[in-house]
Amino acid sequence: MLIKLSAVDEAVAPVFRYHAEIVNRAGNHLKGFSVQIKIVFSDFKKNYLEASEKVIAEEVKRTTNGIAGAKTITDLETAVKQITGKDVNLSGTDLELMKKNMDQVAKLCGEYGIHFDSIETTAGRKYLGEVSRSGRYGDVVSLLYPKKYYKTKEALIEELKKTASSGNMPRIGGRNIDVYSTTHEFAHTLSSSVTSRLYGTKAETDFWDEIEEVYRDYKENGNGILGKYASSNQDEFLAEAFADAKLGARPSKWSEEVLVIVDKYFKKKGE
C-alpha cells in the first residue's frame, strides 16, 4: 500500500495508526491510498477508513470465492496469490484436494496473518508437509506440499491412516483430516523456537516461554494424548496442539491452552 501524506494536521495524524491496522488485516488487497492535505476527522473516517474496510471485505470475499471457483490448478494458484501476495506453485497436485487445503490456508491467514514467503510443491519428501526456513536469520519461510501425497486425495488419506495407526498424530475427525497437515504446518510458519531464541523479538521469546511451560506439563501429565510426534520437541508440540485445537472434535486441555497463547501473540486484532 502507498500512503501519500503532505502537511497533514496533527489532529488527524493519530488516526493513521488505526488505518495501519486495517491495512495489515487487508494484506495486499489495497494497492493504493492517498489522503487530502486538509481534511477533518469525520470526513477522513467516512471517505478513507470506512471505505477501506468495505473494499477489503469485498476483495477478500471475491478472492476466497476464487478458490472455490477454480477450474484448474493455475486458477487456484492465481486465487491464492491474490489472497496472500506470495509465490504459489501447486503443480502436480489434485485440484479438489488443494482447493480445500488452500481454503484452510486462507482462513488461517485471515485469523493470524501471513507468515510465509511462498507455497510450493516438492518431490521425494517423506513428510506429509513441511515448512522450510532459509536466509541468514531463518526468516525466509516456505510452506511445502509433497506431490507424492497430494497428487490424489486417496494417496493423502492412505498416508494419514498410517500416521494415525502408528500413534503419531492427534485424533482428527474424518471431516477435517485432509487439512490436518496444512493446519499443523501453518503453526510452524508462525514461529520457530530455534530462530526466535537466536534472532526474535522479546515478544516472540516470551511466546516460546509460555509454550514451553504448557509443553512441560503435557510431557508430565498428557499421557501422549496428542500422539508421539507432539512429545518430540516444543515446536512439534505447538503444531500438533494447534491442529488439535482447530480441527479436533474434543481438543485436549493442553491444545486449548496452546491456542490461547497463539491467539494472544498472533491473532489479528478485531478477529
Side-chain angles (χ1 to χ4, degrees):
M1 166 167 282
L2 176 63
I3 300 179
K4 299 178 180 179
L5 302 175
S6 178
V8 175
D9 189 280
E10 290 184 2
V12 177
V15 300
F16 285 99
R17 179 175 299 175
Y18 170 72
H19 188 272
E21 293 181 2
I22 297 176
V23 174
N24 182 54
R25 295 201 299 273
N28 295 285
H29 301 309
L30 300 179
K31 303 301 182 183
F33 181 77
S34 62
V35 177
Q36 297 172 15
I37 293 178
K38 295 182 179 180
I39 186 170
V40 298
F41 176 73
S42 59
D43 289 341
F44 177 85
K45 182 174 183 292
K46 177 180 179 182
N47 296 337
Y48 297 101
L49 301 186
E50 294 176 357
S52 295
E53 291 278 25
K54 182 178 180 181
V55 170
I56 292 167
E58 291 176 349
E59 181 66 8
V60 170
K61 181 178 179 181
R62 183 182 71 80
T63 52
T64 301
N65 288 343
I67 291 178
K71 302 297 183 184
T72 66
I73 285 293
T74 300
D75 291 344
L76 182 58
E77 290 171 338
T78 300
V80 177
K81 187 171 184 177
Q82 287 178 330
I83 293 171
T84 64
K86 307 299 183 180
D87 291 334
V88 181
N89 177 3
L90 303 176
S91 62
T93 60
D94 178 76
L95 176 61
E96 294 304 317
L97 177 60
M98 293 311 291
K99 281 166 69 171
K100 187 169 182 179
N101 278 275
M102 291 303 100
D103 184 62
Q104 179 71 349
V105 169
K107 288 176 180 176
L108 292 172
C109 287
E111 282 190 83
Y112 299 102
I114 301 166
H115 300 268
F116 53 82
D117 299 280
S118 66
I119 301 175
E120 305 171 26
T121 54
T122 62
R125 301 282 179 171
K126 64 179 181 178
Y127 301 110
L128 287 166
E130 188 177 348
V131 167
S132 72
R133 289 181 176 269
S134 58
R136 183 175 180 181
Y137 303 108
D139 55 344
V140 180
V141 181
S142 297
L143 183 57
L144 306 178
Y145 288 88
K147 295 179 184 179
K148 65 183 292 186
Y149 299 129
Y150 287 86
K151 61 183 179 181
T152 66
K153 182 174 181 177
E154 291 73 21
L156 178 63
I157 297 301
E158 181 62 27
E159 191 62 24
L160 283 166
K161 286 180 178 178
K162 293 178 183 178
T163 303
S165 63
S166 63
N168 283 324
M169 62 178 282
R171 294 181 178 179
I172 305 296
R175 180 178 296 180
N176 296 318
I177 191 67
D178 46 1
V179 296
Y180 154 74
S181 184
T182 284
T183 308
H184 172 109
E185 299 302 337
F186 184 88
H188 284 313
T189 71
L190 297 177
S191 182
S192 159
S193 64
V194 176
T195 56
S196 68
R197 297 295 189 195
L198 292 174
Y199 315 114
T201 62
K202 183 179 183 305
E204 197 170 12
T205 55
D206 288 347
F207 166 77
W208 281 107
D209 286 344
E210 293 188 34
I211 292 295
E212 187 172 1
E213 184 176 345
V214 180
Y215 178 53
R216 285 200 301 266
D217 182 53
Y218 171 76
K219 290 272 283 186
E220 292 178 7
N221 304 301
N223 296 316
I225 193 172
L226 295 177
K228 299 175 186 177
Y229 206 35
S231 298
S232 57
N233 57 60
Q234 58 185 342
D235 287 86
E236 298 306 335
F237 170 71
L238 164 67
E240 293 287 62
F242 182 80
D244 181 46
K246 287 294 185 182
L247 304 175
R250 295 179 180 177
S252 74
K253 83 177 192 72
W254 297 277
S255 301
E256 291 175 342
E257 289 173 9
V258 164
L259 186 61
V260 168
I261 298 170
V262 171
D263 286 356
K264 174 183 174 182
Y265 285 91
F266 291 100
K267 197 164 188 177
K268 293 180 179 181
K269 294 180 180 180
E271 295 294 335

